[in-house]
Amino acid sequence: MTSPRAISDIKKDLESFVGSKIKLKANRGRNRIIEREGVLESIYPNIFVVKLNERKIDRRVSYTYADVLTETVELFVYDTQDEEIRIASANG
């Protein structure tokens, strides 16, 4: 088993995907898991922001890097063959 990555490493991974279309999978507790597609809009020192377009309404959600570290949030980006690639995870 590998050791968990540092929050700074997760932030560095996300910086290269700002502006990219991503798939977000978030565990909201009590067996509620949401899956949405959006654009990784911006990176801040403690949070990152994803812009979602739901029912023709732009909505922004923010998560902390600790959410990725604890695997509460999983992020995937699409490659050239439309296959999902996990871009940020606790174990690398």
Side-chain angles (χ1 to χ4, degrees), residues 5-46:
R5 298 172 42 188
I7 289 178
S8 60
D9 292 340
I10 293 170
K11 182 180 176 188
K12 286 178 189 174
D13 284 352
L14 290 178
E15 284 176 349
S16 63
F17 292 104
V18 172
S20 299
K21 183 178 176 180
I22 63 169
K23 179 180 174 183
L24 170 79
K25 186 176 179 182
N27 182 350
R28 306 287 285 188
R30 293 195 164 235
N31 296 324
R32 293 184 307 171
I33 297 175
I34 61 165
E35 290 188 27
R36 303 280 193 273
E37 289 187 358
V39 175
L40 183 60
E41 190 174 60
S42 53
I43 300 289
Y44 294 102
N46 296 316

Side-chain angles (χ1 to χ4, degrees), residues 24 26 28 34 46-50 61-65 67 73:
L24 170 79
R28 306 287 285 188
I34 61 165
N46 296 316
I47 63 170
F48 59 95
V49 178
V50 178
V61 293
S62 62
Y63 295 98
T64 65
Y65 303 110
D67 291 333
V73 174

